[in-house]
Amino acid sequence: MKKTGRKASLLVAALLAMLAPAGFWAEAQSPTAAPAQQDGESTWTHYGADMGGTRFSPAGQITADNVARLEQAWSYGSGDVSRGERGRRKSKFEATPILFEGTLYFSTPFSRVIALDPAGGKERWTFDPKIDLEEGYSESLVTRGVAAWRDPRAERGTACAARIFFASQDARLHALDASTGRPCQDFASGRPLDLKKGVGQVEIGEYEVTSPPTVVGDIVVVGSAQGDNRRVEVEWGTVRAYDLRSGRLRWSFNPVPKRPSDPGWEAWNPESARRTGAANAWTVFSADPERGLVFVPTGSAAPDFYGGERPGDNRYANSIVALRAEDGSVAWHFQVVHHDLWDYDIAAQPILFDLQREGETVPVVVANTKMGQVFVLHRESGKPVFAVEERPVPQSDVEGEQSWPTQPFSSLPWLHDPMPDEPEAWGISEEDREYCSRALKELRWKGVFTPPSLQGSLFWPGNVGGVNWGGAAVHPESGIMVTNVNQLAFQVSLVPRDDFERRRRQAEKDRLDLQFTAQRGTPYGMSRRPLLSPSRLPCTPPPWGKTVALDLKAGKILWEIPAGYVKALQDHPRARQWGSITLGGPMITARGLVFVSAAQDENLRALDLKTGRELWSHALPGGGQATPMSYIHQGRQYVVIAAGGHGGLGTTLSDQLVAFALPGGQD
């Protein structure tokens, strides 16, 4: 349903070519991108570089020929890091800064907003919304970024002529003066908007906002993150748009309809629609101002693993929903999973760009999924550009559940490795292999869409992905997309209500690595765990994470490599073949370089876009569980990444934002 701290905490136990011809890497950009040059600077004005989330930088000073000379240019420590002391959750530094009108802006795990000089990382201002750091947030302590807007009606130099919009983790929306960091007095009378109002019954700490809002036209659009699997009647997954100047609510859209007049009502059982919550959009949205569309990626309706209280396909859940920016009405939607029973949210930001295919220019939206499927849709209609087929899938054997008979299958290659009908056990020792073989044989497995069961089902590639919130990057001209892909098998079991507490207490007594969630309002609780050997390594063959390049023009995998390595195994001769679970995404620059970290080895790497060959790497002061960005300022190209680690993944925690550049500026 949503990526949560509780979910991520399960991972701790588990996770101990030369430059091509210049014409190929011409400085292309997405039609939704900001201008490549503004006052001599290359801009990265949105969390995903541009409004279409391409994570493509037109900066081309760093090339395959000189990238080996990259060195650290500056670093900035915010002080905002939690290692679990003083009753606080551990922090996750997942932010990607933006460069807006000559200043870098980013948010910290403590929900502070900071403005920096892009040349040296000197602090210009900070804003602290003073969230309760001791609250038991389901997402741990984390935010991913901010959005910016220049008011075309306002005179430059006046208060709030340029604004930074930010949603703090405690679900408050703030409008700040971009020059000073002070709250804008004309936006909601200078007070933050409380997003916890109007979304049903809220459990404090379970309803949050962790991703940056989206600015399009004269509105700011925001979703929500929610703790998974608590009950049927969780908070609503309402998406809301507010006026950028006044803070007035302009429209709202609920993926689960609550009234007969709401879109999608006819597809729902009325009682289920009134009770069911979530289907919320917790990750980053994309927007196409020219077409007046906002692309909202939604998650599962509540709860994730049992759908007997929400029969049907659960329209608008697990979908790309294209909303009209003017009024929030549905232009079209495409559902990637019907009646989700696997926590297969759309976690990655949709990518908008113009795909050159078969002699035509096609405006597309690309949806990467946790299943490892890629769907390419026409931006104006939502119709698949590459064929999609509905195929029969295994049905649930759980009383009260009615799983959907088919699921959509994309004709594009799956990004994860196939799992055979008889899953292969892997282990670093014979003891591990024997243990894993027994464990796998006990689980139900009939493919990616194997439903949860009472005996226990194997989930592959697992609810951390496939592709998670780090998303993908696209080189718009070549049509090459690069993304990180996780491959970590999970065991998921439904537990009858009358046996739930006994099983939970017994697991605690036996110190089993099982997570139990209640799924109140249903006949079943749920237990799950990553499928691990006694050595605390995955029971399924590596790589456990990989970086994959997909040629979207040809519809073929271009290359794939293991994603980093597990730091605890770095001395093993095969560690670099095994890869690592990743959280964070890649970034592509104009000269065909891919910058990516995200893995447990805590290095930032530069890869050749055409071949995947590693050209450069540099150790970071903490885990790079974030997506890097790049810009040119005063004639010098910088690559910047949040290197603060991830409390759930077990990487080194830090407060550092780190910038790299060529020595002496322009080469």
Side-chain angles (χ1 to χ4, degrees):
M1 186 186 304
K2 280 61 57 186
K3 181 192 70 64
T4 68
R6 293 188 179 97
K7 186 181 302 180
S9 66
L10 289 174
L11 300 178
V12 178
L15 307 168
L16 309 165
M18 298 301 290
L19 184 69
F24 184 77
W25 303 130
E27 294 195 8
Q29 68 180 76
S30 162
T32 57
Q37 300 295 320
Q38 179 177 322
D39 299 327
E41 297 188 351
S42 170
T43 59
W44 186 292
T45 53
H46 301 266
Y47 172 85
D50 51 62
M51 297 184 78
T54 62
R55 291 165 177 77
F56 171 78
S57 170
Q61 186 183 108
I62 302 171
T63 71
D65 290 331
N66 62 29
V67 68
R69 296 167 50 206
L70 271 188
E71 61 183 20
Q72 184 171 315
W74 56 261
S75 65
Y76 172 85
S78 69
D80 291 2
V81 59
S82 170
R83 297 176 176 84
E85 68 279 8
R86 291 189 287 177
R88 299 173 180 175
R89 303 293 300 276
K90 289 184 178 181
S91 56
K92 307 171 183 175
F93 197 4
E94 297 178 353
T96 296
I98 64 171
L99 178 69
F100 180 70
E101 298 188 347
T103 298
L104 276 178
Y105 301 93
F106 70 100
S107 61
T108 75
F110 290 5
S111 286
R112 289 198 305 139
V113 180
I114 297 176
L116 301 179
D117 167 24
K122 183 179 179 181
E123 184 180 293
R124 289 181 172 168
W125 57 255
T126 67
F127 168 76
D128 188 355
K130 300 186 184 304
I131 69 169
D132 182 356
L133 296 174
E134 279 70 49
E135 182 59 66
Y137 299 108
S138 63
E139 289 269 0
S140 298
L141 289 167
V142 60
T143 61
R144 297 191 187 92
V146 304
W149 177 66
R150 160 66 61 182
D151 188 346
R153 300 182 194 171
E155 182 179 349
R156 285 181 178 265
T158 59
C160 290
R163 305 182 182 210
I164 300 299
F165 288 92
F166 169 67
S168 49
Q169 187 169 0
D170 58 1
R172 291 180 293 155
L173 181 62
H174 307 263
L176 309 175
D177 186 324
S179 298
T180 65
R182 299 189 186 100
C184 295
Q185 296 304 306
D186 57 350
F187 187 89
S189 301
R191 297 186 296 272
L193 289 172
D194 187 354
L195 302 174
K196 295 185 290 297
K197 295 180 178 179
V199 292
Q201 183 180 351
V202 173
E203 290 187 61
I204 300 302
E206 299 284 1
Y207 184 88
E208 310 154 73
V209 181
T210 53
S211 292
T214 296
V215 170
V216 54
D218 60 355
I219 59 172
V220 55
V221 189
V222 63
S224 62
Q226 300 175 18
D228 286 351
N229 301 311
R230 292 169 286 141
R231 61 183 196 269
V232 175
E233 299 180 21
V234 297
E235 301 83 3
W236 304 347
T238 307
V239 175
R240 287 170 284 192
Y242 296 93
D243 186 279
L244 287 164
R245 297 181 179 89
S246 68
R248 177 176 61 88
L249 179 66
R250 293 275 290 274
W251 54 257
S252 64
F253 165 74
N254 194 333
V256 180
K258 299 301 174 185
R259 301 165 298 183
S261 59
D262 289 343
W265 178 264
E266 70 281 0
W268 279 79
N269 172 292
E271 180 59 26
S272 295
R274 291 189 180 100
R275 293 184 62 215
T276 303
N280 55 307
W282 59 265
T283 191
V284 186
F285 306 167
S286 296
D288 185 338
E290 180 182 339
R291 293 172 172 83
L293 296 175
V294 180
F295 298 89
V296 177
T298 63
S300 170
D304 288 348
F305 298 105
Y306 178 77
E309 309 301 324
R310 48 176 174 87
D313 67 353
N314 303 153
R315 183 174 298 179
Y316 301 139
N318 304 90
S319 298
I320 299 292
V321 184
L323 300 177
R324 296 182 180 91
E326 62 180 359
D327 59 9
S329 61
V330 177
W332 57 261
H333 86 286
F334 182 88
Q335 192 171 54
V336 303
V337 180
H338 310 312
H339 191 81
D340 184 15
L341 299 174
W342 305 271
D343 190 16
Y344 284 158
D345 307 341
I346 300 182
Q349 181 183 10
I351 300 174
L352 313 182
F353 79 108
D354 287 349
L355 176 64
Q356 306 297 321
R357 185 167 183 261
E358 298 178 351
E360 294 185 10
T361 300
V362 184
V364 300
V365 52
V366 182
N368 287 280
T369 68
K370 285 186 179 181
M371 303 89 72
Q373 290 206 84
V374 181
F375 297 93
V376 180
L377 313 171
H378 197 288
R379 208 180 309 161
E380 295 173 349
S381 66
K383 295 187 181 302
V385 174
F386 291 88
V388 174
E389 179 185 3
E390 289 284 335
R391 298 180 189 170
V393 293
Q395 295 299 285
S396 176
D397 58 2
V398 174
E399 183 179 356
E401 179 64 85
Q402 187 173 350
S403 49
W404 200 253
T406 64
Q407 293 293 347
F409 283 73
S410 172
S411 57
L412 287 168
W414 291 62
L415 300 179
H416 68 72
D417 295 334
M419 175 73 76
D421 293 340
E422 296 292 332
E424 177 187 354
W426 184 91
I428 203 166
S429 67
E430 185 62 31
E431 177 190 7
D432 281 2
R433 286 190 292 275
E434 290 179 358
Y435 173 90
C436 290
S437 179
R438 290 193 301 271
L440 285 165
K441 287 177 180 177
E442 293 175 356
L443 300 177
R444 188 184 186 203
W445 169 251
K446 293 183 178 295
V448 170
F449 293 106
T450 303
S453 60
L454 300 183
Q455 76 180 74
S457 295
L458 176 66
F459 277 21
W460 172 266
N463 61 295
V464 295
V467 182
N468 211 298
W469 59 263
V474 164
H475 186 279
E477 183 168 294
S478 69
I480 297 173
M481 182 186 79
V482 180
T483 186
N484 288 329
V485 179
N486 291 324
Q487 303 185 137
L488 179 64
F490 278 75
Q491 170 190 324
V492 177
S493 303
L494 293 179
V495 183
R497 180 67 54 209
D498 58 7
D499 199 31
F500 180 76
E501 282 301 320
R502 184 194 68 80
R503 293 262 294 270
R504 185 182 61 80
R505 289 194 297 268
Q506 188 64 45
E508 289 179 355
K509 179 181 178 180
D510 296 341
R511 297 184 179 180
L512 300 178
D513 294 325
L514 282 171
Q515 178 202 31
F516 284 80
T517 55
Q519 300 191 141
R520 297 191 300 273
T522 79
Y524 306 97
M526 182 275 294
S527 71
R528 65 178 167 184
R529 67 180 180 110
L531 201 58
L532 306 175
S533 70
S535 297
R536 319 311 300 151
L537 293 173
C539 274
T540 50
W544 305 307
K546 57 183 182 176
T547 304
V548 181
L550 176 63
D551 184 338
L552 289 170
K553 288 184 178 180
K556 297 179 180 179
I557 299 290
L558 184 63
W559 52 261
E560 56 182 57
I561 60 171
Y565 55 90
V566 178
K567 198 170 184 178
L569 299 175
Q570 61 184 329
D571 294 332
H572 195 284
R574 300 188 64 187
R576 284 159 180 76
Q577 300 173 33
W578 295 342
S580 159
I581 294 297
T582 66
L583 288 172
M587 176 266 290
I588 296 173
T589 66
R591 297 304 297 272
L593 296 178
V594 179
F595 286 91
V596 63
S597 183
Q600 290 179 281
D601 60 322
E602 303 181 359
N603 290 304
L604 177 63
R605 298 177 293 282
L607 312 176
D608 186 294
L609 175 60
K610 198 173 183 181
T611 66
R613 183 168 64 93
E614 184 176 300
L615 304 174
W616 169 87
S617 68
H618 195 286
L620 297 171
Q625 276 65 60
T627 299
M629 55 87 74
S630 185
Y631 59 90
I632 289 178
H633 181 72
Q634 296 178 350
R636 194 179 192 192
Q637 182 179 354
Y638 295 84
V639 174
V640 178
I641 187 168
H646 190 285
L649 196 60
T651 51
T652 303
L653 300 181
S654 168
D655 65 349
Q656 295 293 304
L657 189 73
V658 185
F660 297 90
L662 295 171
Q666 190 165 353
D667 191 44

